[in-house]
């Protein structure tokens, strides 16, 4: 998970001492419990739900579908408290979920963010300020995070395992790297978040791939593209040949990483679930309904009729509302509201797998960083984070991230029955990284399957005209033509709430 920190230290990054090849070919035969979390089968309960009688009818002003970042941002931004949020999973968070291990939360999804420049969208910044997440620093002209304990020390931020050698970053200092930043200099300050603020004069960049853009202006080579591909897969779920140049340039130019030392990495152990909790505390608890699957949306006159399955109690409910904020994944619209699906039928989702490996605290792991990136012939394994860098007082949990090609949703589904294999392969890769068998210290593992984790910003995706707000139906989420980034998700919820609030 290269997190762009190399941009800070263009003259300071040094290649770490190369590791000798770790010769251990097998792990100890140790068994430990493995827990798996997947909501795919829950979604299939729709077949049972349609046969159930409606046991209750609830009237409320607005129904919000989905309790991820965008859904809760919408809830925090509505003009009244007359709403209900329905979330399919047993916990809030969506792709910013977290798991409780020994009464401490650890990330199972998006897990970091960076300092916000003053050029970012005022509405998103205002909400984060209201949530006591940030405050403006008049001296540095950036928005500082208030919870300083979650800022990652720069000497602990990252290292990268590149085909058997330890390096400080995926994209190391080179003449080609210097030429890349020189090429992108003209876009300085022009690629803020939310991505909807990007001027139309740059929209032509959304119609070519990032690879074609780089190949046109730079003498690229395989090693250079391999490093860039790793970074693009990590943040956007696609390679330079899959994503648009608009998305690729945004990666490097959305913040002044290489010129402003005030830009810091913010990563609580629970990851972006930190923001979920902040928003949750602003919402009346009775307005939040987990284990609630919305499986049908129908409009009759000026009212919306939504059929919802309480999956915990297998009870079918009907909500009658004036408006809908749909913040769920849009591929489900083909079943829930087919009329809207064509707006989003171009969206390709990347499947992700997140694995939390809980270790005995006695194990010693030298040179471990917050982000431990991993580039190898298996480009689905992106690396892992180490919770001990974030907080010394709790269990050591290594959280691994896998990004699969968008065509491999069924491969992720198959892991529901064969998850042992990927867990043990993950431990082997981590052992290779540390040059020691860590399996002897593994206490348990948790596997999170995210079949539709993030939309890939392919050419045309970010600038496709989308009729998002019609008939008191507003769409939120990064799969509405946004970049798969926290601030874009936050803003999409704010804009959806504005639309439905203004329609009453």
């Amino acid at each position: 998970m290269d997190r762009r920190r190399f941009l800070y230290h263009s003259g300071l990054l040094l290649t770490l001492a190369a590791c000798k090849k770790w010769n251990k070919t097998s792990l100890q035969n140790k068994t430990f419990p493995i827990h798996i979390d997947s909501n795919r089968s829950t979604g299939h309960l729709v077949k049972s739900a349609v046969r159930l009688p409606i046991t209750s009818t609830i009237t409320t002003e607005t129904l919000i579908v989905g309790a991820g970042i965008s859904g809760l941002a919408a809830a925090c931004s509505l003009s009244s408290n007359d709403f209900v949020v329905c979330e399919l999973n047993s916990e809030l968070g969506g792709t910013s979920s977290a798991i409780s291990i020994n009464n401490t939360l650890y990330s199972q999804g998006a897990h970091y963010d960076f300092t916000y420049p003053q050029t970012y969208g005022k509405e998103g910044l205002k909400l984060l300020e209201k949530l006591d997440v940030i405050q403006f620093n008049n001296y540095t002209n950036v928005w500082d995070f208030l919870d300083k304990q979650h800022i990652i020390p720069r000497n602990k931020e990252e290292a990268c395992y590149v085909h058997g050698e330890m390096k400080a970053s995926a994209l190391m200092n080179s003449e080609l790297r210097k030429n890349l930043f020189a090429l992108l200099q003209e876009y300085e300050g022009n690629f803020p978040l939310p991505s909807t603020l990007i001027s139309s004069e740059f929209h032509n960049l959304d119609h070519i791939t990032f690879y074609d853009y780089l190949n046109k202006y730079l003498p690229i080579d395989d090693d250079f593209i391999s490093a860039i591909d790793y970074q693009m897969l990590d943040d956007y779920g696609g390679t330079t040949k899959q994503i648009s140049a608009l998305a690729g340039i945004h990666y490097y130019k959305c913040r002044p990483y290489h010129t402003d030392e005030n830009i810091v990495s913010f990563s609580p152990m629970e990851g972006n679930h930190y923001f979920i909790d902040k928003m949750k505390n602003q919402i009346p608890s009775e307005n939040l309904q987990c284990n609630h699957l919305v499986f049908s949306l129908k409009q009759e006159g000026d009212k919306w009729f939504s059929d919802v399955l309480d999956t915990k109690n297998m009870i079918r409910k009907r909500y009658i509302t004036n408006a809908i904020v749909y913040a769920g994944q849009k591929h489900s619209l083909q079943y829930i509201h087919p009329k809207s699906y064509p707006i989003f039928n171009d969206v390709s989702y990347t499947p992700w797998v997140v694995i939390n490996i809980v270790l005995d605290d006695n194990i010693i792991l030298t040179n471990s960083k917050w982000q431990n990136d991993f580039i190898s012939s298996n480009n689905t394994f992106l690396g892992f984070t180490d919770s001990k860098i974030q907080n010394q007082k709790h269990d050591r949990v290594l959280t691994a991230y896998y990004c699969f090609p968008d065509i491999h949703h069924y491969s992720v589904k198959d892991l529901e029955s064969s998850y042992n294999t990927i867990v043990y392969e993950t431990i082997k890769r981590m052992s290779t990284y540390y040059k020691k068998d860590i399996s002897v210290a593994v206490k348990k593992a948790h596997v999170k399957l995210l079949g539709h984790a993030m939309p890939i910003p392919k050419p045309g995706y970010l600038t496709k005209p989308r009729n998002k707000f019609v008939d008191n139906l507003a769409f939120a989420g990064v799969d509405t033509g946004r970049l798969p980034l926290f601030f874009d998700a936050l803003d999409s919820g704010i804009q959806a709430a504005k639309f439905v609030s203004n329609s009453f």
Side-chain angles (χ1 to χ4, degrees):
M1 280 84 50
D2 188 289
R3 297 303 180 190
R4 318 172 190 169
R5 186 54 57 198
F6 61 92
L7 293 171
Y8 276 114
H9 311 292
S10 57
L12 299 178
L13 283 178
L14 299 174
T15 304
L16 302 178
C19 294
K20 295 181 180 179
K21 186 176 180 181
W22 185 59
N23 293 319
K24 199 168 183 82
T25 57
S26 62
L27 304 176
Q28 298 295 323
N29 294 321
K30 180 182 177 182
T31 59
F32 48 83
I34 301 175
H35 307 277
I36 186 160
D37 181 6
S38 171
N39 66 12
R40 187 186 65 86
S41 59
T42 306
H44 290 178
L45 288 174
V46 172
K47 294 179 181 179
S48 302
V50 295
R51 295 193 292 266
L52 293 173
I54 298 171
T55 58
S56 62
T57 300
I58 302 102
T59 300
T60 189
E61 199 168 84
T62 304
L63 173 67
I64 299 175
V65 182
I69 295 293
S70 61
L72 294 189
C76 288
S77 304
L78 287 172
S79 57
S80 81
N81 281 334
D82 189 10
F83 64 85
V84 173
V85 181
C86 287
E87 167 58 43
L88 167 61
N89 295 309
S90 59
E91 300 290 341
L92 307 176
T95 55
S96 294
S97 64
I99 186 171
S100 179
I101 300 173
N102 295 335
N103 297 316
T104 301
L105 289 176
Y106 296 85
S107 174
Q108 282 196 309
H111 62 284
Y112 74 101
D113 211 352
F114 293 113
T115 305
Y116 309 109
Q118 61 177 333
T119 56
Y120 274 30
K122 290 181 173 56
E123 292 165 313
L125 295 171
K126 183 178 179 181
L127 176 55
L128 292 175
E129 185 179 30
K130 175 185 174 183
L131 297 174
D132 292 326
V133 173
I134 58 174
Q135 68 179 5
F136 190 67
N137 187 322
N138 289 304
Y139 178 73
T140 60
N141 289 323
V142 297
W143 290 85
D144 290 335
F145 291 105
L146 292 175
D147 288 341
K148 305 296 185 185
Q149 73 270 25
H150 301 314
I151 293 174
I152 304 300
R154 293 202 170 155
N155 64 335
K156 295 288 188 179
E157 281 183 328
E158 69 173 345
C160 191
Y161 186 82
V162 183
H163 301 296
E165 293 186 39
M166 291 298 297
K167 297 182 180 294
S169 172
L171 187 62
M172 296 301 296
N173 279 333
S174 68
E175 193 65 28
L176 189 50
R177 178 183 176 277
K178 293 177 183 178
N179 291 339
L180 168 65
F181 296 139
L183 172 65
L184 301 183
Q185 183 59 35
E186 66 174 296
Y187 304 112
E188 191 75 36
N190 292 315
F191 279 60
L193 281 172
S195 54
T196 51
L197 294 182
I198 299 173
S199 172
S200 60
E201 69 176 294
F202 302 115
H203 285 186
N204 62 301
L205 295 168
D206 193 43
H207 299 290
I208 60 171
T209 68
F210 194 31
Y211 179 88
D212 288 340
Y213 173 85
L214 295 172
N215 191 42
K216 181 178 180 179
Y217 296 106
L218 297 173
I220 59 177
D221 57 38
D222 289 344
D223 288 341
F224 176 78
I225 288 298
S226 176
I228 301 291
D229 278 346
Y230 175 84
Q231 292 163 350
M232 297 303 106
L233 283 167
D234 184 35
D235 265 28
Y236 296 150
T239 65
T240 53
K241 291 184 177 180
Q242 292 178 288
I243 70 166
S244 73
L246 188 67
I249 294 170
H250 191 283
Y251 179 98
Y252 297 102
K253 304 310 295 184
C254 64
R255 292 176 177 89
Y257 300 108
H258 62 298
T259 60
D260 193 341
E261 289 291 320
N262 296 304
I263 304 294
V264 300
S265 301
F266 181 80
S267 183
M269 286 198 305
E270 67 268 36
N272 283 7
H273 198 272
Y274 169 91
F275 300 105
I276 295 293
D277 274 342
K278 287 285 189 178
M279 290 188 282
K280 173 186 174 182
N281 292 336
Q282 300 290 315
I283 302 169
S285 59
E286 62 270 18
N287 292 29
L288 298 170
Q289 299 290 334
C290 290
N291 300 302
H292 275 54
L293 168 64
V294 178
F295 64 90
S296 176
L297 300 176
K298 293 181 180 178
Q299 189 178 29
E300 296 182 15
D302 60 352
K303 297 292 184 181
W304 282 93
F305 295 78
S306 305
D307 286 348
V308 179
L309 177 67
D310 176 345
T311 61
K312 189 174 183 179
N313 301 301
M314 289 305 291
I315 295 172
R316 180 178 176 181
K317 304 177 181 179
R318 173 160 289 175
Y319 287 86
I320 302 176
T321 63
N322 296 327
I324 302 287
V325 173
Y326 191 92
Q329 292 169 333
K330 309 308 178 290
H331 72 282
S332 298
L333 285 169
Q334 57 189 308
Y335 312 109
I336 298 171
H337 191 243
K339 179 182 176 181
S340 296
Y341 178 64
I343 304 172
F344 304 102
N345 62 5
D346 65 313
V347 181
S348 298
Y349 293 90
T350 296
W352 278 66
V353 175
V354 181
I355 303 176
N356 303 99
I357 307 290
V358 186
L359 299 182
D360 188 307
D361 210 32
N362 292 323
I363 190 171
I364 298 174
L365 300 179
T366 58
N367 299 320
S368 192
K369 303 291 185 181
W370 163 58
Q371 298 276 9
N372 299 279
D373 306 338
F374 204 100
I375 300 179
S376 68
S377 57
N378 182 345
N379 59 9
T380 63
F381 179 63
L382 298 179
F384 58 96
T385 60
D386 183 350
S387 68
K388 277 295 182 183
I389 307 303
Q390 297 163 304
N391 193 316
Q392 290 281 337
K393 297 178 181 178
H394 298 284
D395 289 298
R396 169 163 256 148
V397 177
L398 305 180
T399 301
Y401 292 85
Y402 286 84
C403 174
F404 290 88
D406 59 324
I407 60 173
H408 286 184
H409 295 288
Y410 288 102
S411 298
V412 175
K413 180 197 72 173
D414 291 342
L415 289 175
E416 290 180 3
S417 57
S418 60
Y419 52 82
N420 282 17
T421 300
I422 194 171
V423 170
Y424 281 96
E425 285 299 317
T426 300
I427 294 170
K428 284 184 180 180
R429 292 184 176 108
M430 292 174 172
S431 296
T432 300
Y433 186 94
Y434 289 119
K435 295 188 297 179
K436 67 189 302 180
D437 180 7
I438 71 166
S439 69
V440 296
V442 176
K443 297 197 293 187
K444 56 185 173 181
H446 298 268
V447 181
K448 177 81 169 184
L449 303 182
L450 299 165
H452 297 80
M454 67 165 69
I456 304 173
K458 294 182 176 182
Y461 168 77
L462 290 170
T463 56
K464 175 185 174 181
R466 300 172 195 271
N467 186 15
K468 301 175 195 173
F469 306 138
V470 294
D471 299 329
N472 291 345
L473 169 61
F475 294 101
V478 292
D479 51 1
T480 58
R482 307 284 193 121
L483 288 169
L485 302 172
F486 166 76
F487 205 91
D488 247 6
L490 190 80
D491 180 74
S492 73
I494 295 170
Q495 301 310 320
K498 280 177 62 178
F499 170 77
V500 299
S501 294
N502 292 336
S503 65
F504 300 144

